[in-house]
Amino acid sequence: MNDLLTDSMELPRGHQARGGDIELGDQQLMNSGELGLENFFKRVQEIEKQYDKLNKLLRKLQDAHEESKAVTKAAAMKAIKQRMEKDVDEVGKVARSIKLKIEELDRDNLSTRQKPGCGKGSAVDRSRAATTISLKKKFKDKMTEFQTLRESVHQEYREVVERRVFTVTGARPDEETIDRLIETGDSEQIFQKAIREQGRGQIMDTLAEIQERHDAVREVERKLLELQQTFMDMAVLVDAQGDMLDNIESQVSSAVDHVQSGNTALQKAKKLQRNSRKWMCIAILILLIIVVIVVVGVLKPWSTNKGA
């Protein structure tokens, strides 16, 4: 896939001379269907719709996470856990589908080069390559957002557990106690003193809620880590091709500027040409007048009339 983007930057010999790179040259007589662009952008729109679906799922997960921070009952925490697991599973399906569709676009971009007017380095080829890389960059950005969510879930779980321990025991737990509780989910040993003082029944709801929260966070984190691997495969390609994409965009922008400058210069040349023709006509007219005056002065037709 790196070859696809690299080759897109290599202009075939004589290609610039035809002027078909920016203005599409020979392609002016071909419609988007013949160039394969109509179907290409239709598939791009399908991928964009799936990105919208990812955004909605991300918001649902963020909202569920915020809701979980205020929950104090095991049953409520379990319900949130089930919702989040379902949404993360759906994110995985959508992400894998997007990844496959982008890979299909890469393969199609290579095969399209065999069509007339779509060879490597052509405007069509570079447009397809740049659009595909843009989709990959968006995929990488989504990876960052889900990674941020995973880190937030982990960090805020730690803060919630610390508050629960303080509420039950009345003492701030040290880092080692929090780490052990997060790792094992076994809070009964930590709360032994509170159980003896307050009775087991009063502490059971907190114990159950902490255990349910522990299970939820571990499962959601595991699924988000699996999801991250799907994103990482595409992120590697984006990092490898990003500089080349910037180079392509720079070349296209520069070429467009040159075309615009050329058009401006052409208009000036046409104006100068029209002015030159105007002054040439005036000069010829003046020359004709001078010739007529000289001829008349030499022949002196009025003298001939007097002699007669």
Side-chain angles (χ1 to χ4, degrees), residues 49-78:
K49 288 179 181 178
Q50 290 192 300
Y51 277 130
D52 290 339
K53 192 172 182 180
L54 275 185
N55 288 332
K56 291 177 182 177
L57 288 167
L58 178 61
R59 285 194 294 271
K60 286 180 66 178
L61 286 167
Q62 289 169 336
D63 291 343
H65 171 54
E66 288 299 317
E67 182 184 350
S68 73
K69 290 191 287 185
V71 167
T72 58
K73 300 295 183 182
M77 190 64 229
K78 184 175 183 179

Side-chain angles (χ1 to χ4, degrees), residues 4-275:
L4 171 65
L5 204 60
T6 304
D7 291 343
S8 296
M9 298 169 60
E10 299 174 359
L11 299 179
R13 289 186 179 179
H15 188 78
Q16 289 180 326
R18 293 196 304 270
D21 194 19
I22 299 302
E23 298 180 358
L24 297 183
D26 301 338
Q27 299 165 13
Q28 289 179 339
L29 301 178
M30 303 176 69
N31 59 40
S32 60
E34 292 171 326
L35 295 172
L37 290 176
E38 184 175 342
N39 181 56
F40 173 78
F41 284 111
K42 182 178 179 181
R43 291 159 69 184
V44 169
Q45 288 177 349
E46 291 174 355
I47 294 175
E48 292 287 1
K49 288 179 181 178
Q50 290 192 300
Y51 277 130
D52 290 339
K53 192 172 182 180
L54 275 185
N55 288 332
K56 291 177 182 177
L57 288 167
L58 178 61
R59 285 194 294 271
K60 286 180 66 178
L61 286 167
Q62 289 169 336
D63 291 343
H65 171 54
E66 288 299 317
E67 182 184 350
S68 73
K69 290 191 287 185
V71 167
T72 58
K73 300 295 183 182
M77 190 64 229
K78 184 175 183 179
I80 293 175
K81 169 191 171 186
Q82 291 172 343
R83 278 162 39 203
M84 292 186 74
E85 288 178 355
K86 181 180 178 182
D87 287 338
V88 173
D89 287 339
E90 185 64 22
V91 168
K93 292 178 183 178
V94 175
R96 285 188 289 273
S97 175
I98 291 175
K99 183 172 179 286
L100 289 174
K101 289 180 182 295
I102 291 177
E103 289 172 347
E104 288 174 2
L105 285 183
D106 269 327
R107 291 191 292 270
D108 190 50
N109 289 347
L110 286 172
S111 63
T112 299
R113 288 179 174 178
Q114 306 305 316
K115 295 181 180 180
C118 301
K120 66 179 181 180
S122 66
V124 171
D125 182 49
R126 293 198 293 179
S127 175
R128 292 174 69 107
T131 301
T132 304
I133 281 291
S134 177
L135 291 173
K136 293 176 183 178
K137 279 189 172 182
K138 186 174 290 189
F139 200 78
K140 181 186 177 184
D141 291 342
K142 288 297 145 199
M143 176 196 72
T144 303
E145 292 179 33
F146 281 99
Q147 172 69 9
T148 300
L149 173 63
R150 187 182 70 82
E151 292 172 354
S152 178
V153 167
H154 180 80
Q155 179 59 35
E156 291 176 9
Y157 166 54
R158 184 183 188 88
E159 294 171 1
V160 170
V161 168
E162 185 176 356
R163 287 198 299 270
R164 293 292 185 273
V165 174
F166 178 73
T167 300
V168 173
T169 65
R172 293 286 180 187
D174 56 30
E175 292 294 319
E176 184 180 351
T177 300
I178 295 298
D179 289 338
R180 186 168 68 253
L181 186 54
I182 289 175
E183 182 64 28
T184 65
D186 182 11
S187 55
E188 186 169 349
Q189 183 178 1
I190 297 172
F191 294 153
Q192 281 182 354
K193 181 179 178 181
I195 292 173
R196 288 195 302 268
E197 294 176 353
Q198 303 176 34
R200 186 177 182 85
Q202 297 180 24
I203 307 299
M204 284 305 296
D205 285 346
T206 301
L207 293 175
E209 184 261 330
I210 290 178
Q211 183 61 51
E212 195 64 53
R213 187 180 297 275
H214 172 267
D215 294 342
V217 169
R218 293 298 290 269
E219 187 63 19
V220 169
E221 279 194 314
R222 183 184 67 80
K223 289 180 179 293
L224 286 174
L225 281 172
E226 291 176 355
L227 177 64
Q228 186 178 355
Q229 186 56 49
T230 302
F231 286 121
M232 282 296 293
D233 294 340
M234 190 63 68
V236 171
L237 289 175
V238 172
D239 290 337
Q241 297 176 342
D243 291 340
M244 287 185 280
L245 174 65
D246 293 338
N247 196 2
I248 286 178
E249 292 173 342
S250 176
Q251 286 187 9
V252 171
S253 177
S254 177
V256 170
D257 289 341
H258 284 312
V259 170
Q260 291 175 342
S261 299
N263 287 335
T264 301
L266 183 61
Q267 294 301 321
K268 289 181 179 179
K270 289 181 178 179
K271 185 176 181 180
L272 288 173
Q273 188 178 35
R274 286 195 296 268
N275 290 336

